[in-house]
Amino acid sequence: MSASTAPATSQPLLAAQTPRTPSLWPGLALAGALAAVAIWLSRYPWFQSHGLSALTLAIVLGMVVGNTVYPRIAAQAHTGVGFAKSTLLRAGIVLYGLRLTFTDIAQVGWPGVLIDVLMLGSTFVGAYWVGTRLFKMDRQTVLLIGAGSSVCGAAAVLATEPVVKARAEQVAVAVATVVVFGTLAMFLWPTLYALATQSGWLQMDAHQYGIFVGSTVHEVAQVVVAGASEGEAAANAAVIAKMVRVMMLAPLLIALSWWLAAPSAGAGSTTSGEPSRVVIPWFAVGFIAVTAFNTIVPLPAHWIVVGRWVDDALLATAMASLGLTTHLQLIRKAGAKPLLLAAMLFGWLLGGGLLVNVAVHWLMG
């Protein structure tokens, strides 16, 4: 064989040996279909009355399919599923800013803002200390549970996952704790409030109760249900306090990224002993930018509706993708410690949250 003919014969052989990259579409179609079903189910009154949002339903559906049918088609779908868990998730967090404006802060006043800051900070720091020092849990799971409990439930868990570089089963465990204890809080808070006010030992009006709910209950959907149980004034205060708390997600993620990259003991260092590189989560910055834009520019109402619909679809698709890649046996291996940690945080959100709310309102009038 001559030198001139060698390249012509070797190129087809090399091409034949090069594996084809799976298409995005099978995985995206599967995750998107599960998300669509979850969004559809979330509009039914039964699911709404139980605080089951589209995100919660999407991960449940994803886990059902992921532990039955998905392993047979994973080779064709994994690329699209991975794209949904990463890129679509980040885009969804950015668009989440369409739900907020900086003027929301004025509606709960400085007492509401201070309460949100105190509850977020104490819950997150407490989660890390108890989880890593007392329970000796892995840091990723602890940070995810802390974010979900202190900020905004499943959406916060999803947003924190890229920063802490968690595995799918760690995210699923954290989301499960949010669902369990957030649902319990949704029904327990109104019951205890009614008993305490009727007995006369708690002096808290509907507006103050709403701030208490918004500063302590996990998911936005759960806040809506718990706040609405005491009327429109409580519901409005609860949602606004919750939205202010959600707004704090971006600075929390940026601060967390800096802390994880610090060369201090227990923080982020690579296996070679060198300090980790600071990675500013661009989607957190985008979230702040969209919130600022939504505050400054009066967008048409139908634009906001469409934007929020797209955001719901993106986040639900990301959550369904997470469920598809979550294996139940890996969750079982996590043991009882994540639930115990979440239970302790639940107790703090109820008891400590009540004390913080009463004290701040008393001090600030």
Side-chain angles (χ1 to χ4, degrees):
M1 182 181 296
S2 64
S4 60
T5 59
T9 57
S10 62
Q11 287 179 359
L13 289 175
L14 290 173
Q17 294 172 359
T18 302
R20 291 184 58 189
T21 302
S23 171
L24 291 174
W25 297 114
L28 284 178
L30 175 60
L34 293 173
V37 173
I39 293 172
W40 174 66
L41 289 175
S42 69
R43 294 172 179 169
Y44 276 78
W46 188 89
F47 292 104
Q48 292 178 349
S49 65
H50 288 77
L52 296 174
S53 66
L55 297 186
T56 301
L57 294 170
I59 193 172
V60 171
L61 292 174
M63 290 176 67
V64 171
V65 175
N67 287 273
T68 53
V69 178
Y70 182 70
R72 305 173 190 172
I73 60 173
Q76 295 77 32
H78 74 91
T79 301
V81 169
F83 178 82
K85 284 198 304 179
S86 57
T87 305
L88 295 190
L89 166 62
R90 291 162 172 78
I93 296 299
V94 171
L95 283 180
Y96 208 84
L98 288 176
R99 305 170 191 269
L100 306 168
T101 64
F102 293 139
T103 55
D104 291 337
I105 297 175
Q107 298 186 50
V108 296
W110 288 113
V113 175
L114 179 58
I115 289 169
D116 277 341
V117 170
L118 292 174
M119 290 310 302
L120 189 155
S122 61
T123 305
F124 190 79
V125 173
Y128 183 79
W129 192 90
V130 172
T132 58
R133 300 289 181 86
L134 184 61
F135 292 154
K136 307 298 182 183
M137 294 169 57
D138 65 272
R139 188 171 60 187
Q140 286 89 345
T141 301
V142 169
L143 292 175
L144 292 174
I145 293 174
S149 299
S150 63
V151 188
C152 56
V157 174
L158 280 176
T160 308
E161 177 267 328
V163 177
V164 302
K165 299 178 176 61
R167 300 187 302 274
E169 63 270 16
Q170 293 171 320
V171 179
V173 166
V175 170
T177 66
V178 169
V179 173
V180 171
F181 291 102
T183 301
L184 182 58
M186 178 183 66
F187 294 110
L188 185 59
W189 269 224
T191 302
L192 293 179
Y193 172 74
L195 292 174
T197 52
Q198 289 171 9
S199 64
W201 70 264
L202 179 64
Q203 302 297 321
M204 180 180 282
D205 60 31
H207 178 80
Q208 292 170 340
Y209 166 76
I211 293 177
F212 168 60
V213 169
S215 64
T216 55
V217 177
H218 301 62
E219 290 270 7
V220 175
Q222 296 160 352
V223 166
V224 172
V225 174
S229 66
E230 297 300 324
E232 185 177 354
N236 291 340
V239 171
I240 294 170
K242 183 63 176 179
M243 290 298 99
V244 173
R245 192 169 151 208
V246 170
M247 197 179 296
M248 298 174 185
L249 175 63
L252 173 66
L253 294 180
I254 294 172
L256 181 60
S257 178
W258 279 91
W259 178 78
L260 289 174
S264 58
S269 60
T270 63
T271 56
S272 63
E274 298 177 356
S276 301
R277 181 171 60 91
V278 175
V279 179
I280 301 298
W282 62 264
F283 56 89
V285 178
F287 169 81
I288 296 175
V290 171
T291 302
F293 184 81
N294 191 35
T295 304
I296 298 170
V297 179
L299 296 174
H302 65 278
W303 286 22
I304 298 293
V305 171
V306 172
R308 291 181 178 180
W309 183 89
V310 172
D311 183 49
D312 287 338
L314 290 173
L315 291 177
T317 302
M319 192 67 92
S321 299
L322 172 66
L324 288 170
T325 55
T326 300
H327 303 292
L328 292 179
Q329 63 269 25
L330 296 176
I331 295 179
R332 285 195 292 268
K333 287 182 181 179
K337 288 182 178 180
L339 280 176
L340 289 175
L341 173 61
M344 293 183 69
L345 297 177
F346 172 81
W348 166 249
L349 288 169
L350 174 57
L354 183 60
L355 290 175
V356 168
N357 272 263
V358 171
V360 169
H361 285 301
W362 180 75
L363 289 172
M364 301 186 69

